[in-house]
Amino acid sequence: MKKHNFNAGPAILPEYTIEKSIEAIKDLNGSGLSLLTISHRSKDFDAIMDGAVAATKRLLDIPEGYSVIFLGGGASTQFYTVPYNFLGKKAAYLDTGSWAKGGIKEAKLFGEVDVVASSKDKNYSYIPKGFTIPEDADYFEICSNNTIEGTEILEDWDVKVPLISDMSSDIFSRPMDVSKYSLIFAGAQKNFAPAGVTIVIVKDSFLEKVVRPVPTMADYRVHVSKNSMQNTPPVFPIFAALKTMEWMEQEGGVKEMEKRAIARSEKLYDELDRNKLFKATVEDPADRSRMNITFLLKPEYEELQDAFLELAKARGLVGIKGHRSVGGFRASCYNALPMESVDALVAALQEFEKAN
Ligand SMILES: *Cc1c(COP(=O)(O)O)cnc(C)c1O
């Protein structure tokens, strides 16, 4: 049976990335060696690393004065690396859910944390508005796409202090204005590569603001000066990231990725708004994630939860159970997800409505 991969992460990747990875694992560029067995100091790998940095810069139209590095460890590692480097006295955070809280928790180890606003009062089902960011904060950190709760910040905000964003689950899903940010980080396994690498885009002038001595592997300045080669980088995930970037460029870049994300998510939200059994957990269309569409059975139909999961399984819909912390359902619709998979989910929602 054809499987429709709605996994939240690790998640769907383009066939192109999988095929090119298989080829390279067998034999990289006719070298007679597997990608998995080459030196990270080889010319072959230099080309992969340089290619991935250059493709990131092209795709996101990154201006001069920014560096792109590929680090081991997940996005969670950045939760402490950011404050380790930049939280001197006080930092501001926006509490939009589980991953935002991950950053807040670690920052408290290093200094004062001002949580400027929170959407906790409504289970993180909206993006807080109308808050004030203290002008003496060392930085303001947000999570642009709340993978678990299904909200997304789709604008590049203008703020008076350095802006930092965890874009783990929506990087490369829209054109963006990188110049608004001092640092962006994104774990790979949601939207561009297998787990094991995190991309960091950092403004070079921000690196002059490091507030304390930092261990080598947590020091952004080291990784920038060593082109992500201070130690052995995650060779395979970086190769796969490069292949996904090639695929995105061939398909029309992040503009086209955005077009597809809008088409997929609108189709799903329209069905959820119409269907008598289900509802989207995020009500305000402006706050709805295009990447992670979270939904529930209405209270009067709640007992049908397991029955819908059964139907989903029978129709080849993989990964639509909501995160264990929030329940319900979640359809993660990352860049590589074809519209045909969204159509299959919509058909299942309609079939289930008819049967109940
Ligand atoms: C998945 C995720 C993380 C954690 O990523 P790891 O690579 O598992 O550490 C952090 N932030 C967001 C927004 C995520 O979606």
Side-chain angles (χ1 to χ4, degrees), residues 97-118:
S98 304
W99 293 123
K101 277 192 293 190
I104 291 166
K105 175 172 175 240
E106 302 292 77
K108 285 179 177 165
L109 297 170
F110 297 93
E112 187 190 332
V113 176
D114 185 337
V115 178
V116 298
S118 170

Side-chain angles (χ1 to χ4, degrees), residues 73-77 79 99 143 145-147 166-169 185 187-190 198 334:
S76 303
T77 305
F79 291 161
W99 293 123
C143 178
N145 185 67
N146 297 281
T147 322
D166 174 0
M167 297 198 164
S168 293
S169 50
F185 62 88
Q189 73 273 21
K190 310 294 165 54
T198 297
Y334 298 119

Side-chain angles (χ1 to χ4, degrees), residues 17-240:
T17 302
I18 309 271
E19 290 301 327
K20 294 288 177 191
S21 296
I22 291 169
E23 281 170 27
I25 285 172
K26 285 192 173 152
D27 182 0
L28 181 66
N29 302 334
S31 65
L33 294 177
S34 165
L35 167 67
L36 304 182
T37 66
I38 60 163
S39 167
H40 62 291
R41 307 277 175 204
S42 63
K43 279 218 166 54
D44 278 324
F45 187 69
D46 279 345
I48 293 165
M49 180 66 93
D50 293 348
V53 170
T56 305
K57 289 186 172 175
R58 285 194 304 271
L59 276 162
L60 296 178
D61 199 12
I62 299 178
E64 287 289 305
Y66 282 78
S67 297
V68 175
I69 47 180
F70 290 89
L71 304 180
S76 303
T77 305
Q78 300 306 310
F79 291 161
Y80 72 79
T81 312
V82 164
Y84 213 151
N85 282 267
F86 301 113
L87 203 174
K89 190 153 176 295
K90 177 165 81 179
Y93 280 75
L94 187 64
D95 176 24
T96 52
S98 304
W99 293 123
K101 277 192 293 190
I104 291 166
K105 175 172 175 240
E106 302 292 77
K108 285 179 177 165
L109 297 170
F110 297 93
E112 187 190 332
V113 176
D114 185 337
V115 178
V116 298
S118 170
S119 47
K120 190 171 194 239
D121 58 336
K122 291 187 180 159
N123 291 326
Y124 297 112
S125 61
Y126 68 100
I127 300 292
K129 282 147 200 107
F131 47 82
T132 311
I133 303 158
E135 290 192 21
D136 59 344
D138 294 320
Y139 60 84
F140 175 46
E141 182 170 313
I142 60 174
C143 178
S144 60
N145 185 67
N146 297 281
T147 322
I148 294 173
E149 296 86 359
T151 58
E152 186 172 8
I153 298 165
L154 285 158
E155 273 132 45
D156 303 306
W157 285 345
D158 261 316
V159 297
K160 293 210 176 74
V161 303
L163 181 62
I164 295 182
S165 184
D166 174 0
M167 297 198 164
S168 293
S169 50
D170 66 347
I171 192 163
F172 300 124
S173 70
R174 64 174 175 90
M176 58 179 292
D177 184 353
V178 173
S179 73
K180 297 275 169 74
Y181 300 85
S182 290
L183 189 147
I184 292 164
F185 62 88
Q189 73 273 21
K190 310 294 165 54
N191 211 13
F192 66 96
V197 69
T198 297
I199 196 169
V200 175
I201 301 165
V202 59
K203 194 175 190 170
D204 296 326
S205 59
F206 191 48
L207 293 174
E208 289 158 20
K209 305 254 171 76
V210 173
V211 295
R212 62 172 63 76
V214 179
T216 308
M217 289 307 292
D219 190 332
Y220 290 116
R221 295 167 302 187
V222 170
H223 296 296
V224 167
S225 69
K226 294 289 175 72
N227 296 320
S228 311
M229 299 275 250
Q230 165 62 27
N231 72 327
T232 317
V235 169
F236 174 61
I238 294 170
F239 174 86

